[in-house]
Amino acid sequence: MIEFIAHNLAPIMFASLVVFLLLGYPVAFSLAANGLLFFFIGVELAPLSPDINLFYPLLGALPDRFFGGVMANDTLLAIPFFTFMGLILERSGMAEDLLETIGQLFGSLPGGLAYAVIIVGALLAATTGVVAASVIAMGLISLPIMLRYGYDRKLASGVIVASGTLAQIVPPSLVLIVLADQLGRSVGDMYSGALVPALILSGLYLLYIFAMTVFSARSAPALPPEARTLGRGVTSLLVALAAAFAIAWAVSVYLEGRVPQGHAIWGAAIGVVAIYAVATLNKALKLNLLSNLAQQVIIVLIPPLALIFLVLGTIFLGVATPTEGGAMGAVGALVLALGKRRLNLSLLVQAMESTAKLSSFVLFILIGARVFSLTFYGINGHIWVEELLTTIPGGETGFLIAVNVLVFFLAFFLDFFELAFIIVPLLAPAAESLGIDLIWFGVLLGINMQTSFMHPPFGFALFYLRSVAAKVPYLDRITGKRMEPVTTGQIYWGAVPFLGIQILMVALTILFPQMVMRYKDEAPASAPASVDIELPSFGGAGGIGLPPLTFPGSDGGQPASQPNAGASAPDLGQLSPELGGNADAQTGSDRSPNDAAAPAFGLPPLQLDGPGSLEPGSPSAPSTDAERGSNSGQSPTSAPAVDLSQPPSFN
């Protein structure tokens, strides 16, 4: 029995971790305690199994894994920066302004409020990166409005939950930062690879809303005319957008060839700034150049879009690292909150407290994972997992199906951080051994882990919405009507269709990998993926890429002509005895050693095949021990003595 445990310690350790987690113990402490427990067990069982490579001094590696591997990781600094940025924006009222404005823009369309929620969810995801903040903000703001105007409760709940979870996959997602760190890949590449799948997923959500309005118009009605307080003015907005596009195109054409890269992005930035300045002046001076709707849409949408460009644009251009982009985003969020006159000490304290809690949560899980991995790798657990996954029938396709099914079901019980720190490090070696691109694999896992937020009954986004949705009947503050509460079952059933859309997105990512692989085509010019160095060849196929050596005394100090000389260097046997060469084997037997003005470096003979010998078979190489001894003046087995107390002579 003891031998069976020793030979199967890796699967037993992994199964015990799952049991600890199912019992409800905190993840960080479950990882650390499980790792230490099985470390001591492994040390005692090491003599019984060759697969166990654990010994007590190995615990001394833990401090270095903590301080050198976790604390010194600059990439993880992006997590508190992006968290702080998102919390400042969410508490500064940006989500409320966006929902109201975009709701007015699409209000005349059936399902207009649902469209607005998804679009705002994508914008919040690109500026906050925090699922809880997005779901809670939109649950508080948009759910009462959607219920007020007759939206189906299941549809309204599902839209809010699904749009909030876009923060999981839309850059600058915290999940993508953690996945890049665990996979050992660039965060910028992960962001670039996830951008198109995130946009397609948002489009699929919008397509589902459109289908619902076609087949069940009563589930998502349009806003009544009295609710459209900004009036009409879509034509004015389209004209303003056309003018901004024209300015951007003209500036881009002008800058092409005048800037090293990014002329199109600079053109777009100048076009956006121009139209924003016009809208601001129109509002301040009441010039009536734009309609109220167009003016409000431009003023409300441009700041968060500018912040997105500040963060993601600089990362994609290679100007800033993700950590630097997060720092700029945090400063930009403070500026936006200050511009709205909502920045105060209470807001800062709340944001910093929440940031510290989330950052500590991630850090403790990562430390626990380091303790667990030290033991798990010491019992060759990674080899067991890799062999288990790579032997799945179907090769790469079978591996991908099995992994996605595993992650999908584990997401019922584990948070995305727990999946990223526990499961991903075990899957990555197997994926790499099968030739799978790890950026593509990470984005695929990110989309799959996004379902962990919407899994009934354990989805965290469902809990977030449940915490802010009405639990008892209430009176609407606008209409005064009695509104029925939203039940937990309605929230769960509303999430099911969007859960199916996410599974469809996983399949599309597998079928069309170029959606992610395009990141390779967008690498910034300042950071090439690889550098090829080619040395010029001198002296034919045998050359080593060096020019011919010049020795004084040969052809009047000019390079000696040696056709087919291989390395284009003189025969080592032609050098003076001080270099360890054979003076009798010089080219031109009439030359004495004194005629050769080769420098004396004071070095021992070059030994390539035994003591005191040159390359075997060469004309100048001694063939016997006697010859070696006679040439060097030493015993056959000893090198000539060198006086190391004096500097070498170059005379």
Side-chain angles (χ1 to χ4, degrees):
M1 183 64 180
I2 298 297
E3 292 184 357
F4 174 82
I5 294 176
H7 288 287
N8 296 274
L9 196 59
I12 294 173
M13 180 180 179
F14 187 78
S16 66
L17 175 64
V18 175
V19 171
F20 284 145
L21 295 176
L22 292 178
L23 290 176
Y25 289 101
V27 176
F29 300 112
S30 297
L31 285 167
N34 197 56
L36 290 176
L37 173 63
F38 277 87
F39 183 91
F40 296 125
I41 295 175
V43 170
E44 298 300 325
L45 298 181
L48 302 178
S49 174
D51 295 330
I52 300 177
N53 304 304
L54 297 176
F55 44 92
Y56 286 116
L58 191 59
L59 287 175
L62 283 178
D64 182 65
R65 291 172 69 85
F66 294 159
F67 293 98
V70 178
M71 301 299 185
N73 192 339
D74 293 338
T75 302
L76 297 178
L77 281 175
I79 293 178
F81 283 139
F82 284 124
T83 304
F84 180 79
M85 178 184 74
L87 294 171
I88 289 291
L89 292 176
E90 183 262 327
R91 286 171 169 77
S92 66
M94 186 187 73
E96 184 176 355
D97 294 340
L98 285 172
L99 277 170
E100 181 180 354
T101 302
I102 298 179
Q104 293 283 331
L105 178 62
F106 293 98
S108 59
L109 299 175
L113 285 176
Y115 292 142
V117 169
I118 292 175
I119 293 173
V120 172
L123 290 174
L124 288 179
T127 52
T128 64
V130 182
V131 174
S134 299
V135 174
I136 291 174
M138 289 187 292
L140 288 171
I141 300 167
S142 64
L143 185 59
I145 300 175
M146 298 172 78
L147 298 181
R148 179 184 306 154
Y149 295 112
Y151 272 67
D152 180 77
R153 281 170 164 72
K154 291 185 290 186
L155 177 63
S157 302
V159 166
I160 293 172
V161 170
S163 61
T165 58
L166 287 174
Q168 183 94 339
I169 192 64
V170 175
S173 165
L174 301 182
V175 180
L176 297 178
I177 297 174
V178 174
L179 284 174
D181 177 69
Q182 294 300 301
L183 293 172
R185 293 297 183 266
S186 165
V187 177
D189 288 344
M190 192 70 74
Y191 281 174
S192 180
L195 186 59
V196 171
L199 294 176
I200 293 176
L201 183 59
S202 303
L204 291 176
Y205 288 167
L206 295 173
L207 186 62
Y208 173 73
I209 299 300
F210 176 75
M212 289 296 295
T213 59
V214 171
F215 297 104
S216 179
R218 296 182 60 184
S219 63
L223 284 179
E226 62 271 15
R228 304 173 202 163
T229 57
L230 293 179
R232 298 182 178 181
V234 177
T235 303
S236 176
L237 178 62
L238 294 176
V239 172
L241 293 178
F245 178 79
I247 294 173
W249 178 80
V251 173
S252 176
V253 171
Y254 175 77
L255 292 179
E256 187 175 5
R258 290 180 170 84
V259 294
Q261 64 175 356
H263 60 90
I265 295 179
W266 281 110
I270 293 175
V272 168
V273 169
I275 196 61
Y276 183 76
V278 170
T280 305
L281 291 174
N282 184 74
K283 181 179 181 180
L285 304 178
K286 298 181 180 180
L287 301 176
N288 294 325
L289 297 176
L290 299 170
S291 66
N292 289 336
L293 178 63
Q295 173 185 289
Q296 186 69 10
V297 168
I298 292 173
I299 291 177
V300 170
L301 276 182
I302 294 301
L305 290 176
L307 186 61
I308 293 171
F309 170 76
L310 179 67
V311 175
L312 297 182
T314 53
I315 294 175
F316 291 159
L317 286 175
V319 177
T321 64
T323 302
E324 295 165 346
M328 291 190 295
V331 174
L334 291 174
V335 172
L336 291 182
L338 183 63
K340 291 180 176 292
R341 299 180 181 179
R342 297 180 181 177
L343 184 62
N344 51 53
L345 183 60
S346 175
L347 175 63
L348 287 174
V349 170
Q350 292 177 11
M352 287 189 288
E353 284 182 354
S354 300
T355 301
K357 289 178 182 178
L358 181 61
S359 302
S360 301
F361 169 74
V362 173
L363 188 64
F364 272 96
I365 290 181
L366 187 53
I367 289 175
R370 288 303 177 103
V371 178
F372 178 85
S373 64
L374 177 69
T375 302
F376 198 70
Y377 279 64
I379 60 177
N380 286 333
H382 59 297
I383 299 177
W384 167 71
V385 173
E386 182 176 347
E387 291 178 350
L388 181 67
L389 294 174
T390 54
T391 55
I392 294 175
E396 180 180 333
T397 304
F399 168 79
L400 291 174
I401 293 174
V403 164
N404 281 281
V405 171
L406 173 67
V407 171
F408 180 81
F409 282 104
L410 287 177
F412 278 99
F413 313 103
L414 301 178
D415 181 65
F416 66 94
F417 278 129
E418 299 161 8
L419 288 171
F421 287 129
I422 300 173
I423 303 301
V424 173
L426 302 179
L427 300 178
E432 193 167 19
S433 67
L434 290 172
I436 297 175
D437 184 88
L438 291 186
I439 293 291
W440 176 79
F441 187 63
V443 172
L444 183 66
L445 291 181
I447 299 172
N448 198 333
M449 285 192 292
Q450 188 178 348
T451 62
S452 67
F453 279 93
M454 294 199 298
H455 270 314
F458 304 112
F460 285 91
L462 306 179
F463 294 153
Y464 298 147
L465 183 59
R466 176 69 279 174
S467 67
V468 298
K471 301 179 181 64
V472 296
Y474 66 97
L475 294 179
D476 184 75
R477 63 184 181 87
I478 301 297
T479 63
K481 295 181 180 179
R482 185 177 186 272
M483 306 297 295
E484 295 297 325
V486 178
T487 66
T488 303
Q490 289 171 339
I491 295 176
Y492 285 175
W493 282 110
V496 170
F498 293 94
L499 191 62
I501 292 175
Q502 287 186 325
I503 296 174
L504 174 63
M505 190 63 220
V506 171
L508 291 176
T509 306
I510 295 176
L511 294 175
F512 304 100
Q514 192 56 35
M515 288 190 300
V516 178
M517 300 301 290
R518 49 177 286 282
Y519 82 90
K520 292 187 175 181
D521 302 329
E522 296 186 351
S526 59
S530 62
V531 178
D532 295 330
I533 300 177
E534 295 184 1
L535 296 175
S537 177
F538 298 90
I544 60 172
L546 299 176
L549 297 177
T550 302
F551 290 89
S554 64
D555 296 339
Q558 300 300 323
S561 175
Q562 297 180 358
N564 303 321
S568 298
D571 189 348
L572 293 176
Q574 300 175 15
L575 303 182
S576 64
E578 289 85 351
L579 281 172
N582 186 358
D584 296 335
Q586 298 177 16
T587 304
S589 58
D590 57 335
R591 296 176 60 188
S592 66
N594 295 329
D595 294 333
F601 293 98
L603 298 178
L606 184 64
Q607 301 178 10
L608 299 179
D609 188 28
S613 67
L614 295 175
E615 184 179 354
S618 64
S620 58
S623 57
T624 65
D625 292 340
E627 291 176 357
R628 294 190 188 102
S630 62
N631 289 337
S632 61
Q634 304 291 332
S635 64
T637 58
S638 63
V642 179
D643 185 6
L644 298 180
S645 64
Q646 300 297 327
S649 173
F650 294 94
N651 299 323

